[in-house]
């Protein structure tokens, strides 16, 4: 039995005050959502304020990235996993396609970040997904398989208990063009089979695989209906508490 996860990625939006206001509104709208883990990822600077206001609620806080370095060291501008924990985060998003695209992240950096985050006990939401040309040339599964095996390289079965995978086709992110539930299910089933061969069947059966890419209140139920879709990573529609709460309360 895999507990669904609905996570909102606020990206580089909202000042601290706006983040707190949205978080408090969301907290009250999803207080009965015991069927699912609810997670929001504000910007670094808002983590502590948001986490304080969510204490005792069922909404958890994620960071949007962390350093490859697990220890405090000379890395100007970076934030490491224990600092994120210290600021109230219990989850971290790693390898989002925007970080791969704009910050040159590779499967190797993703893997190093995952290991650094695990070292400090964070739950990692590891993002994978092909771009449009890769899908059109029939390479989507090959690309995603490489990202999954590279990003999760060397992780033990115990490590895998703190891994959530987010399949986010790049062509569906922020475009309003969602993968069909069939396309998403096909890739999620493929990822689960890949985990079964790299780790174990039991591990594959328990790992949560989220779909991300233009998830909205009106398409979440169809997506969640699929066997291997265990939740969603939501960008644009998570910025407003009402629409994100409708996604969380999809049932
Ligand atoms: C995302 O950036 O992770 C995402 C899925 O964005 P959107 O929901 O806006 O497509």
């Amino acid at each position: 039995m895999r507990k669904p996860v609905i996570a909102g990625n606020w990206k580089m939006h909202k000042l601290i005050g706006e983040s707190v206001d949205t978080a408090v509104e969301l907290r009250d709208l999803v207080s009965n959502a015991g069927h699912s883990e609810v997670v929001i990822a504000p910007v670094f600077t808002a983590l502590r304020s948001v986490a304080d206001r969510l204490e005792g609620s069922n909404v958890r806080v994620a960071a949007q990235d962390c350093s490859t370095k697990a220890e405090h060291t000379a890395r100007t501008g970076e934030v490491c996993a224990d600092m994120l924990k210290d600021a109230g985060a219990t989850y971290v998003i790693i390898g989002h396609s925007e970080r791969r695209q704009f910050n040159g992240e590779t499967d190797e950096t993703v893997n190093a970040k995952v290991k650094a985050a695990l070292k400090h006990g964070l739950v990692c939401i590891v993002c994978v997904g092909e771009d449009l040309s890769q899908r059109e040339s029939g390479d989507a599964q090959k690309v995603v398989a490489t990202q999954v095996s590279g990003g999760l390289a060397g992780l033990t079965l115990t490590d895998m208990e703190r891994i959530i995978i987010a399949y986010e086709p790049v062509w569906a992110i922020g475009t309003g063009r969602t993968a069909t539930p069939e396309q998403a299910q096909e890739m999620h089933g493929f990822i689960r089979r890949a985990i079964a061969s790299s780790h174990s069947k039991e591990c594959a059966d328990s790992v949560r695989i989220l779909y991300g890419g233009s998830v909205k209140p009106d398409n979440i139920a169809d997506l969640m209906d699929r066997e291997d879709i265990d939740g969603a990573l939501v960008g644009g529609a998570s910025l407003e508490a009402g629409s994100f709460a409708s996604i969380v309360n999809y049932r």
Side-chain angles (χ1 to χ4, degrees), residues 114-228:
V114 167
K115 287 176 175 162
L118 290 174
K119 201 163 180 178
H120 291 291
L122 293 175
V123 174
C124 303
I125 301 176
V126 182
C127 303
V128 297
E130 81 287 355
D131 66 24
L132 188 59
S133 67
Q134 292 162 334
R135 174 152 287 261
E136 286 176 348
S137 61
D139 288 333
Q141 291 193 345
K142 199 170 88 190
V143 168
V144 169
T146 303
Q147 292 173 337
V148 170
S149 65
L152 305 183
L155 299 199
T156 64
L157 290 174
T158 308
D159 292 336
M160 289 297 289
E161 291 169 10
R162 289 184 166 272
I163 297 294
I164 295 169
I165 297 170
Y167 167 58
E168 301 204 297
V170 178
W171 47 271
I173 294 181
T175 58
R177 183 179 166 191
T178 323
T180 63
E182 292 72 27
Q183 285 172 317
Q185 165 57 32
E186 188 183 21
M187 189 62 88
H188 284 223
F190 173 76
I191 293 170
R192 206 175 296 288
R193 289 191 296 281
I195 303 285
S197 42
S198 62
H199 288 81
S200 71
K201 163 103 174 57
E202 196 188 17
C203 173
D205 285 343
S206 57
V207 73
R208 271 89 55 90
I209 308 177
L210 316 185
Y211 168 77
S214 298
V215 172
K216 303 273 181 287
D218 63 2
N219 58 25
I220 181 71
D222 267 0
L223 289 159
M224 291 302 289
D225 223 21
R226 305 294 153 147
E227 191 185 339
D228 290 299

Side-chain angles (χ1 to χ4, degrees), residues 9 11 96 98 168 172-174 212-215 233-236:
N9 174 13
K11 310 191 184 188
H96 190 278
E98 286 153 15
E168 301 204 297
I173 294 181
S214 298
V215 172
L233 180 55
V234 185

